[in-house]
């Protein structure tokens, strides 16, 4: 039976495409010799003139030769899709991908250390899956990460997620780029709440958001530290995605093929970003991309002193969201953090970054006895949570896991 590699964020966006392709290569590497895998990698990126049928025939031929009779239909289709996408990359990119694939094949070590081994005869009539993070008890070791512009996914947005978190006794995060205010969320939910904080150039805006979260008795302030500048989100550039949605030929086509979403968007309350609108125009009454917002509105000089000062001003449970190195985890302890979220921002910020799960063990070993360590991102099923907890994480969190539910 084919064993998947530790789950990274399987983001199909262009900005994370290299991560996605490496995961596929890791998967096939577990089943072939190094030489055959290198040949397979070359096959994946060969030629721009081959059409889809030719690609599929070549792939099927290789799969048959390597006797992949146990490879699932789903994985076959994913491999074909990846092949098709890679064949339409710019010519100059082909050799780079081939070289990366070959290096991966040389360096990758089959990792079975994260496979699950069950114990028996332990009695499981009464199972308690609750956990305590940031001084608050959660009924499950999973909570809803703060995500931006949730009303893009459903017209209820944060209102619906807050109600769900309250129902299941877990924590809910509200973003600085949320489409429902902290005041309204506090009225909806009595469960633990986190406010995700972007550090803006406008210190008045920073103070206003901090004070509003305090007044609404939010339990945790989480400073996002991995978006000091926007990632090269190629999908957003290609589609022209803005906040609020802009009307161009691509968005109009999307609206037409999703009539229910369009109807709800047009017939419900106007789209706005209530935490920003009194201070900045970006994301409120002008069209801007996420990348532009990060690059123009956030303070790119933010440093550890700023984080420590913010922690002191908050004077409560404080976390850094976006920690990926042991060194930074130790610094988080030094400035007084209650916890950290080990996160790569969904694989959309730094192309080629490691998955949070891959960094978890060494970070827990370094600071797990001092602060709460959260594994954020890449969580798609219960066994992923179980593996993260077994490595020492106090809880797991994610955005896609509920936005796409």
């Amino acid at each position: 039976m084919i064993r998947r590699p530790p789950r990274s964020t399987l983001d199909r966006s262009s900005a994370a495409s290299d991560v996605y392709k490496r995961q596929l290569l890791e998967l096939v590497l577990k089943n072939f010799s190094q030489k055959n895998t290198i040949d397979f990698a070359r096959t994946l990126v060969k030629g721009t003139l081959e059409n889809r049928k030719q690609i599929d025939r070549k792939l099927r031929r290789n799969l048959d030769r390597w006797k992949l009779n146990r490879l699932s239909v789903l994985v076959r289709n994913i491999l074909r899709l990846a092949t098709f996408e890679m064949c339409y990359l710019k010519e100059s990119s082909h050799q780079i991908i081939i070289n990366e694939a070959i290096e991966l094949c040389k360096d990758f070590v089959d990792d079975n250390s994260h496979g699950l081994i069950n114990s028996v005869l332990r009695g499981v009539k009464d199972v308690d899956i609750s956990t305590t993070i940031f001084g608050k008890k959660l009924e499950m070791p999973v909570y809803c990460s703060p995500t931006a512009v949730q009303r893009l996914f459903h017209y209820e947005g944060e209102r619906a997620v807050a109600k769900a978190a309250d129902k299941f006794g877990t924590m809910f995060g509200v973003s600085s780029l949320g489409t429902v205010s902290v005041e309204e969320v506090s009225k909806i939910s009595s469960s633990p709440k986190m406010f995700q904080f972007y550090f803006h150039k406008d210190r008045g805006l920073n103070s206003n958001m901090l004070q509003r979260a305090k007044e609404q008795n939010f339990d945790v302030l989480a400073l996002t530290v991995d978006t000091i500048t926007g990632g090269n989100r190629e999908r957003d550039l290609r589609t022209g995605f803005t906040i609020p949605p802009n009307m161009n030929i691509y968005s109009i086509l999307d609206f037409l093929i999703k009539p229910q979403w369009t109807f709800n968007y047009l017939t419900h309350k106007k789209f706005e970003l209530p935490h920003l609108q009194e201070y900045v125009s970006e994301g409120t009454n002008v069209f801007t991309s996420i990348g532009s917002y990060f690059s123009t509105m956030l303070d790119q000089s933010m440093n550890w002193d700023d984080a420590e000062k913010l922690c002191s001003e908050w004077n409560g449970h404080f976390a850094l969201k976006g920690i990926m190195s042991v060194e930074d985890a130790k610094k988080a302890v030094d400035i007084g953090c209650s916890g950290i979220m080990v996160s790569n921002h969904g694989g959309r910020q730094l192309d080629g970054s490691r998955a949070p799960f891959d960094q978890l063990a060494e970070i827990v070993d370094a600071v797990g006895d001092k602060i709460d360590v959260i594994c954020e991102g890449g969580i798609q099923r219960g066994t992923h949570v179980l593996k993260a907890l077994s490595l020492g994480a106090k809880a797991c969190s994610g955005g896609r896991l509920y936005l796409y539910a």
Side-chain angles (χ1 to χ4, degrees), residues 147-152 158 175-183 198 200 205 208-209 212 241-245 269-286 288-290 293 297:
T147 56
V149 291
Q150 290 185 21
R151 288 189 62 211
L152 281 180
E158 289 87 350
S175 171
S176 295
L177 292 173
T179 48
V180 176
S181 70
V182 290
E183 290 82 5
Y198 280 127
H200 294 83
L205 171 58
N208 178 265
M209 289 195 301
R212 289 172 68 177
F241 171 71
T242 61
I243 303 174
K269 186 179 178 181
K270 180 183 176 182
F271 188 101
E272 59 186 17
L273 301 179
H275 305 127
L276 304 183
Q277 59 192 15
E278 295 180 8
Y279 283 83
V280 296
S281 60
E282 275 70 8
T284 54
N285 58 11
V286 299
T288 186
S289 69
I290 290 289
Y293 167 80
M297 299 309 303

Side-chain angles (χ1 to χ4, degrees), residues 5-11 23 140-145 341-347 355-360 373-391 393-405:
R7 177 75 67 172
S8 299
T9 303
L10 290 176
D11 187 359
Q23 290 170 340
M140 62 175 71
V142 180
Y143 71 86
C144 301
S145 294
M341 278 83 101
V342 182
S343 169
N344 65 4
H345 215 93
F357 182 85
D358 296 334
Q359 293 297 98
L360 190 58
V373 178
I374 313 298
C375 182
E376 180 180 275
I379 304 298
Q380 297 186 353
R381 58 194 307 127
T383 51
H384 299 160
V385 177
L386 183 58
K387 290 180 179 182
L389 296 180
S390 70
L391 292 181
K394 287 287 187 69
C396 297
S397 63
R400 290 186 185 94
L401 59 85
Y402 67 87
L403 291 177
Y404 291 96

Side-chain angles (χ1 to χ4, degrees), residues 355-367:
F357 182 85
D358 296 334
Q359 293 297 98
L360 190 58
E362 57 186 274
I363 289 177
V364 168
D365 288 344
V367 300

Side-chain angles (χ1 to χ4, degrees), residues 6 75 79 92 129 172 208 216 250 266 311 361 363 366 370 386:
V75 175
L79 290 172
S92 60
I129 62 170
F172 168 54
N208 178 265
Q216 298 307 313
Y250 299 106
L266 295 175
C311 177
I363 289 177
K370 301 179 181 68
L386 183 58

